[in-house]
Amino acid sequence: MTRAFMKGNHALAEAAIRAGMTFFGGYPITPQSEILEYLSGNLPKAGGTFVQAESELAGVNMVYGAAAAGHRAMTSSSGPGFSLLQEGISYIASAELPAVFVDVQRYGSGLGDIFQAQSDYYVATRGGGHGDYRMIAYAPASVQETVDLVGLAFDKAEEYRNPCLLLSDASIAQMMEPVVFPEKQECNPDHDWAVRGKRGGDFKKITSTMYYIENFDQYIHDKYATIQANEQRWENVQVEDAEVVLVAFGISARICKEAVSMARAEGIRLGLIRPVSIWPFPEKAFDEVSKDLRAYLTVELSALPRLRDDVMLATEMKTPVHHFLAGDTIPSSRTIVKQAVALLEK
Amino acid sequence: MAEKRIPKTLVENNKFCPGCGHGIINRVLAEVLEEMGLADMAIGSVAVGCACLMIDTFGTDWVQAPHGRAAAVASGIKRVRPENFVFTYQGDGDSLAIGFSETMYAAVRNENITVFIVNNGIFGMTGGQMAPTSLPGQRTTTSPAGKDPALAGQPLNIVNQMRQLPIGYLARGSVGSFKEIIRLKKYIKAAVTNQIEGNGYGLVEILSPCPTNWKMTMQGALDHMNDNVKKFFPTGEFIKEGVLTDA
């Protein structure tokens, strides 16, 4: 265990090294460039390899190669760069290889801007690349949780042989907080599925597993259904008696948590569901809400509602689902309380 | 009766069209890997196009990359498994059109990998579309009136691009005659040795006929390659042990 006071991006990079990552290939883009900067010096010191690729396309395909060779590999990007990673992510999912991806979200489509946002929810949870795949996606709400989820992401990626995403944002990536790191893991890359030369045995082919698996449609359906059933993660705050339940992930969930305390002090029965895994979406979290519930309110840092859709699906719209869109502005907890009170007064 | 001595690395009959050069190149590469004791430690990175048919017939470990990205995938493999022999095997459309950036930057970084580019001047598997290496006037399915260099550019000569770079080995061979195949084997051996000795990026471009998409007979395609294609793409060794030759 090591204690430190660190910026989110640096802590994420250190956590990846401690999770046994031996290869990182990436390309600079704000607001995630400190991940590359940290790893360029510290990953080689830990015995791993850092490559600054000529593009996100090259970076993700280097990750594909390293992952195919059995090593724990990662790349990170933000918004426009994350769009470019999708080709490789689809291939890695199709070849059923483990790898970890980071998207430090920034605001807007196209070039957008470098401010914090949560606008990449669809591309993170639906699979931005082509074809039938999904990616386990975690949304940390603090620097410590970033550290914890990076380790989990590598473990789950390997367990399910599937890409795993850490969906951060500019505010968590750029803030400094105290963190506790786990001990460094040593990982054996010589998995039975990894390419390492046939060494007297049969040769291996890493490509879409659909070519080799019988009843592939059923197989892939079952794989993702298993993840959906077993890998839901969430935090519920005072939902048992709440009349309004906020739903938010990442940085906006942090404000919402404060809003719950503020509302409760004033006798307003507010609660919070905070998805930690945004895919699989934690549908089970909604089983714990009160019978007195009058409305859900999603709080999202985006211009269009995204999380709202998953809440509607999870609750089958039995309760009204409202949304509050903060764009690229982090709302105050007082603003959130006011929004909730307005719903109760309707 | 003469004994057929087929390298063990060729585990199945190849699936290429009659008269295609890939079969010869596959055989030469398999012979070199076996003679050098590397077949057991080789990992290939292949993408799409005709080359990807090798994944079933050429018995080394393989990773199938997205179109154009084989050099980036190979870089990732080699960086984590430096003890393995890591190579790419690509067509010209794959490596020089969509994959030009990955091909060039693997060389810019002087990655210790070996790259084989089979240049038949056309997109083969997708049905004969114009490639960066198509000759001026060449009729393809996307240049039905013949390739117009004013619109599509002159044939891309990767050897000329690579000569500027600090790489270990650079050569262009051909399957145009028995003599040239013997010379090609020497180039491939030199490129493989280059990686084993840790001298960095090695590239062998190989001129190869595509009678199917050139819409020629086998002999006609071979003659066209020897008489016309070679004028644009001269063969020889251009960089040896990191030093430019006089070729």
Side-chain angles (χ1 to χ4, degrees), chain A residues 22-23 49-55 57-59 61-71 87-88 91 97 189-191 194-208 211-212, chain B residues 8-9 11-12 39-43 48 54-67 69-77 79-81 83-84 98 101-106 109 111:
Chain A
T22 46
F23 184 86
T49 302
F50 168 89
V51 184
Q52 182 166 331
E54 70 272 24
S55 69
L57 285 170
N61 282 293
M62 290 176 194
V63 166
Y64 180 21
H71 281 254
E87 174 191 273
Y91 271 76
L97 293 175
D190 295 337
H191 304 278
V195 286
R196 46 196 292 263
K198 60 188 174 182
R199 297 173 193 248
D202 293 335
F203 68 102
K204 294 190 190 77
K205 299 177 264 191
I206 301 269
T207 182
S208 298
Y211 300 129
Y212 307 107
Chain B
K8 289 192 187 99
T9 303
V11 293
E12 284 181 32
D40 266 4
M41 289 301 281
I43 304 174
V48 300
M54 287 167 72
I55 199 165
D56 293 321
T57 62
F58 195 95
T60 55
D61 274 8
W62 285 109
V63 181
Q64 186 166 20
H67 195 191
R69 322 288 178 222
V73 169
S75 302
I77 299 168
R79 295 282 188 129
V80 297
R81 294 211 180 265
E83 72 279 14
N84 285 90
I98 192 169
S101 172
E102 285 77 8
T103 300
M104 285 302 288
Y105 273 93
R109 288 190 305 270
E111 297 279 351

Side-chain angles (χ1 to χ4, degrees), chain A residues 20 38 71 96 98 100 106-107 110 117 140 143 157 162 203 206 222 271 283-284 287 290 320 327:
Chain A
Y38 188 92
H71 281 254
E96 293 194 84
V100 171
R106 52 191 261 177
Y107 186 68
V143 179
N162 202 73
F203 68 102
I206 301 269
D222 291 350
E283 292 158 353
K284 295 173 186 172
D287 298 340
S290 146

Side-chain angles (χ1 to χ4, degrees), chain A residues 246-264:
Chain A
L246 305 170
V247 188
F249 64 93
I251 188 65
S252 52
R254 230 166 131 143
I255 320 299
C256 288
K257 209 166 180 177
E258 195 179 67
V260 170
S261 306
M262 191 180 275
R264 290 280 170 172

Side-chain angles (χ1 to χ4, degrees), chain A residues 175-226:
Chain A
M175 68 169 69
M176 288 185 83
E177 287 189 304
V179 278
V180 177
F181 288 105
E183 296 300 324
K184 187 175 182 306
Q185 285 190 61
E186 297 299 331
C187 301
N188 180 3
D190 295 337
H191 304 278
D192 57 4
W193 46 260
V195 286
R196 46 196 292 263
K198 60 188 174 182
R199 297 173 193 248
D202 293 335
F203 68 102
K204 294 190 190 77
K205 299 177 264 191
I206 301 269
T207 182
S208 298
T209 59
M210 62 178 282
Y211 300 129
Y212 307 107
I213 293 173
E214 274 184 51
N215 300 323
F216 178 77
D217 295 352
Q218 189 63 47
Y219 164 81
I220 210 71
H221 182 272
D222 291 350
K223 170 176 172 165
Y224 289 119
T226 303

